[in-house]
Amino acid sequence: MGSILRVNTRTHVITSADNEADPLLAGRGLTSTIVCKEVIPTCEALGRFNKLVIAPALLAGSTAVNANRVSIGAKSPLTGGIKESNVGGSLATALSSHGMNALVIEGVPEDSSWWVLEISDEGIRFVPADDLAGLGNYATVERIHSRYGDEVAVMCIGPAGEMGMFAATIAVTDMERRPSRHAGRGGLGAVMGSKRLKAIVVRRGSRKPPQPKRPELFRNLVGEWARKLAEEKRSLALYGNAQIVDTAAAVGALPTRNFRSGRFEHASEINGAAMARIQKVRGGRMGHRCSPGCVIRCSNVYHGPDGNYLTSGLEYESIGMLGSNLSIGNLDDIAGIERKCDDYGLDTIEIGAAIGVAMEAGIVSFGDVPGVLDLLDQIAKGTILGRVLGNGAAITGKVLGVRRVPVVKGQSLASFDPRAMKGTGVTYATSPMGADHTAGNAMPGRRGLDPQQPDVLPHLPKGQVELSRDLQIMAAILDCYMCIYVGYVRETVEKLAGLLSAYLGTQVTPDDLVNLGRRILKVERDFNVAAGIAPGADRLPEFFYTEPLEPDGYVFDVPDNEIDRFYDF
Amino acid sequence: MRVKVTLHGHLQELLIGNSAANRTAGATRDSFVTLAEASTVEDLLFYLGIHKNHVGFVALNGAMTVGDACLQNGDEVSIFPVLAGG
């Protein structure tokens, strides 16, 4: 049993208690449980009653593969509902080395000073950090590492989080100490900013990593799974998830020019093969691990035209939303834009959607790279236009009078057009997280919990609600234990049940995990309903139902009455 | 009939040295393959020597298709490996 640590940012009182929750609850399961139990659903998301809950995955720090994830949860200022966003990097291992199952940040301070929360074997303390205010994430972590040494893991916010913008992220350092991994969605950086925490710095503790109850079985299961993943996911190590550009383009689902088209004329210049080709020449790399114990290695280190480091973890969703969605067909341009987002602490998905809406309004033209870079600088400076964009696509659409705004429950869609990938559309509509592909992405070829079920064709409405439900259940399970890249498939649930049984020394069945996934979705849904988000909000924006997607002509036609039965389980 | 085949991700590596197509025609990322009339997607995978366990999905002329779909002369087929996440 680990501990739950509570830190009050108003009083600076720190308390610790044993974690009495169900031992299967970790990561998202634990953040959502704590938020549901302790946060008043109707509270002001940037006010004193909201809590920022940080919980490593259950097997973080063990020898399990792809297990060093950390979930961050709170009430979202963007959606007004519950939020969990998980991230790799070095933080999960560091937190688990202190035996911490969750760190709960409470209250808001009465003055406007900035603080760093420092966690080490010597204890936990607040350190004044006004000197870090206004700095981007890269300068922030550089200064922190020069102060604390290279071994610390850091989570921090950039200017967007300091200003309380709803598209603000929380950055987490990767294994090379770069703030390139982000708990991106839902404006959690603004929640951290409201608590006046610029950064949390964790020095590795001396506590022994968690030990499985049946070590030999655990070791064998881990080894077998690692070998299988490394072989099966070789494409991800070679080409990163940027190859999803090809997947989305192949079925006409690649958002282009603010979701007007599903096919982009420069798709082959921004895909995984293009990135691998460019980086081979420049000394960057594909097959990068973002966190310890990852055998899939889907991340990358992107060097710019000058051969120097520009960014890392340049992912498909950023490429789609900042690239094709803005009609930008050059990877260097996209990488430069993404680097600024990482530095300012902005969700690349939300900002890509917001700028797409601004382009539709004529603020800058589609394809205007200097114009986009200027808009990002305006966000960091906090100009009026910058504040509009930094608060996301929904607010941008309202202010600029645009009606084609790709959001659900206030949060932007990710880089999959729901007219061509209808199961993902159902997930956007129904997830308690708002439009979030990671909550259950129905990529072509995916099946539900029954591997024998017939293929669900992404452009047809049949079977999409059932598929989305199964994928959302599996995502909720995986978010407690592992990176979702291990695969949303029945086999994963079975392997995970075996691994957890060996770890905990008690029998955990696949059905136990499926029931856990269902329970998590239900408590999150209940929080949203109590927060005032009515079930009627489970709809895509109207234009997806009425405007045929170019060039294939698809509309979103999953019947409303089927979507309304999503939570009948 | 002749169809255009595009292999994505690491599938082209599986092909090399492993298939009738490579041995007879020299496989590249984009290949034209000649098949018997009324061949299906599964027939094409068999011809290429790609086991279906390695295949995430197959797109036929810009939309996902199923294994028993019949191919026609001039079709464009894209074959994708199993991915995850995203």
Side-chain angles (χ1 to χ4, degrees):
Chain A
M1 185 197 301
S3 62
I4 293 186
L5 200 94
R6 291 170 189 279
V7 173
N8 189 302
T9 57
R10 188 175 66 83
T11 60
H12 289 195
V13 169
I14 295 160
T15 56
S16 178
D18 288 343
N19 175 18
E20 306 282 0
D22 177 342
L24 282 177
L25 288 174
R28 173 177 168 185
L30 193 53
T31 64
S32 287
T33 300
I34 292 173
V35 170
C36 287
K37 203 178 280 180
E38 301 183 15
V39 173
I40 302 163
T42 52
C43 76
E44 158 58 44
L46 302 185
R48 61 190 288 207
F49 298 115
N50 200 3
K51 299 186 182 188
L52 188 71
V53 185
I54 303 151
L58 187 72
L59 302 172
S62 77
T63 56
V65 291
N66 293 79
N68 286 303
R69 303 287 298 182
V70 61
S71 289
I72 306 180
K75 173 172 173 166
S76 162
L78 185 71
T79 67
I82 196 164
K83 175 54 67 180
E84 182 269 355
S85 186
N86 61 72
V87 63
S90 55
L91 184 68
T93 325
L95 287 173
S96 67
S97 73
H98 292 279
M100 215 179 284
N101 291 158
L103 172 62
V104 185
I105 313 287
E106 304 181 345
V108 294
E110 284 166 354
D111 69 6
S112 59
S113 301
W114 287 98
W115 299 89
V116 163
L117 188 72
E118 194 188 295
I119 300 173
S120 70
D121 273 347
E122 281 73 54
I124 297 165
R125 63 182 187 126
F126 283 84
V127 180
D130 281 340
D131 62 311
L132 300 177
L135 293 183
N137 282 316
Y138 275 89
T140 299
V141 299
E142 198 181 317
R143 211 174 281 190
I144 286 172
H145 282 123
S146 70
R147 203 172 291 166
Y148 291 92
D150 286 347
E151 308 80 38
V152 294
V154 183
M155 63 180 265
C156 60
I157 57 170
E162 290 181 33
M163 286 186 274
M165 291 176 176
F166 296 177
T169 64
I170 295 173
V172 168
T173 46
D174 67 5
M175 293 197 291
E176 290 81 20
R177 304 178 295 284
R178 297 176 291 232
S180 59
R181 320 308 311 183
H182 290 250
R185 308 237 59 198
L188 294 175
V191 178
M192 186 161 156
S194 73
K195 303 190 180 306
R196 311 300 285 180
L197 280 182
K198 179 68 176 171
I200 299 175
V201 177
V202 189
R203 194 180 292 286
R204 279 287 282 272
S206 55
R207 190 152 158 164
K208 267 180 72 177
Q211 300 298 312
K213 291 285 193 308
R214 300 177 66 189
E216 196 179 334
L217 177 61
F218 187 82
R219 194 165 52 243
N220 290 342
L221 291 172
V222 167
E224 183 196 322
W225 202 355
R227 281 189 293 279
K228 188 172 189 315
L229 287 172
E231 174 55 31
E232 254 182 29
K233 318 287 183 191
R234 267 175 49 70
S235 270
L236 285 163
L238 291 168
Y239 303 107
N241 79 354
Q243 70 195 285
I244 298 173
V245 169
D246 296 325
T247 308
V251 296
L254 181 63
T256 301
R257 290 179 279 280
N258 190 28
F259 288 84
R260 290 244 177 230
S261 172
R263 297 181 193 269
F264 182 47
E265 58 275 22
H266 299 293
S268 64
E269 294 158 54
I270 59 173
N271 63 10
M275 190 189 291
R277 204 165 48 239
I278 292 169
Q279 292 312 312
K280 194 172 179 185
V281 177
R282 293 188 186 159
R285 59 180 294 207
M286 311 300 286
H288 173 252
R289 287 183 175 88
C290 88
S291 59
C294 171
V295 296
I296 296 172
R297 299 183 290 133
C298 75
S299 181
N300 53 69
V301 178
Y302 194 98
H303 286 199
D306 62 0
N308 293 320
Y309 172 85
L310 178 58
T311 190
S312 56
L314 179 57
E315 294 194 7
Y316 164 69
E317 285 75 23
S318 303
I319 293 171
M321 294 307 288
L322 299 171
S324 56
N325 191 50
L326 306 184
S327 202
I328 294 172
N330 178 298
L331 267 180
D332 287 335
D333 290 336
I334 297 167
I337 294 166
E338 193 256 9
R339 160 68 187 236
K340 268 192 194 285
C341 289
D342 279 0
D343 199 31
Y344 298 154
L346 289 165
D347 175 10
T348 53
I349 297 175
E350 191 67 43
I351 288 301
I355 294 179
V357 168
M359 286 177 163
E360 179 126 354
I363 300 297
V364 296
S365 304
F366 282 103
D368 178 358
V369 175
V372 171
L373 294 171
D374 174 64
L375 291 177
L376 293 174
D377 289 340
Q378 290 203 48
I379 296 174
K381 285 179 195 148
T383 68
I384 296 295
L385 178 58
R387 283 177 185 271
V388 170
L389 294 163
N391 278 302
I395 285 179
T396 301
K398 283 177 185 163
V399 173
L400 300 179
V402 175
R403 288 205 297 276
R404 297 181 71 264
V405 181
V407 299
V408 176
K409 302 183 180 82
Q411 179 169 276
S412 84
L413 275 59
S415 192
F416 301 95
D417 195 297
R419 290 164 289 191
M421 280 172 50
K422 289 177 175 148
T424 301
V426 174
T427 298
Y428 289 152
T430 55
S431 166
M433 300 292 151
D436 185 340
H437 69 295
T438 68
N441 191 8
M443 297 256 279
R446 284 214 170 123
R447 291 162 197 270
L449 283 160
D450 175 7
Q452 301 309 320
Q453 76 183 64
D455 283 311
V456 177
L457 297 176
H459 59 291
L460 300 178
K462 189 179 169 198
Q464 303 294 356
V465 171
E466 294 75 14
L467 177 61
S468 169
R469 183 187 293 129
D470 281 1
L471 293 172
Q472 289 195 53
I473 289 167
M474 285 192 269
I477 297 167
L478 284 171
D479 288 344
C480 298
Y481 309 112
M482 282 189 169
C483 173
I484 52 172
Y485 274 72
V486 299
Y488 295 85
V489 287
R490 175 80 196 187
E491 188 189 357
T492 295
V493 180
E494 287 164 2
K495 282 185 178 304
L496 200 46
L499 203 60
L500 290 167
S501 299
Y503 180 75
L504 296 168
T506 54
Q507 182 70 17
V508 178
T509 67
D511 283 347
D512 291 337
L513 295 180
V514 169
N515 288 332
L516 176 77
R518 289 182 174 139
R519 213 163 69 226
I520 292 169
L521 287 175
K522 282 285 180 76
V523 296
E524 291 171 341
R525 168 73 162 188
D526 290 348
F527 181 92
N528 283 0
V529 171
I533 301 174
D538 294 345
R539 292 289 183 274
L540 297 178
E542 193 169 293
F543 76 92
F544 289 112
Y545 297 85
T546 58
E547 182 185 301
L549 174 64
E550 298 169 7
D552 298 284
Y554 305 133
V555 292
F556 187 75
D557 53 0
V558 179
D560 287 351
N561 61 1
E562 285 187 28
I563 288 182
D564 289 340
R565 289 198 294 271
F566 179 88
Y567 283 97
D568 292 350
F569 57 84
Chain B
M1 69 174 159
R2 206 159 171 258
V3 297
K4 184 182 175 192
V5 179
T6 306
L7 299 171
H8 290 268
H10 71 293
L11 290 182
Q12 54 189 309
E13 294 174 12
L14 291 178
L15 195 62
I16 292 167
N18 187 35
S19 69
N22 185 50
R23 286 194 297 274
T24 59
T28 59
R29 188 169 187 273
D30 294 317
S31 297
F32 286 91
V33 173
T34 302
L35 298 168
E37 293 303 314
S39 291
T40 64
V41 168
E42 277 169 1
D43 294 335
L44 172 64
L45 293 176
F46 182 76
Y47 175 81
L48 294 171
I50 297 176
H51 193 276
K52 66 179 182 182
N53 285 356
H54 292 285
V55 177
F57 78 104
V58 177
L60 172 61
N61 302 326
M64 181 181 152
T65 190
V66 292
D68 57 3
C70 277
L71 297 171
Q72 295 187 354
N73 191 42
D75 276 348
E76 295 191 5
V77 184
S78 292
I79 307 172
F80 287 83
V82 175
L83 282 174

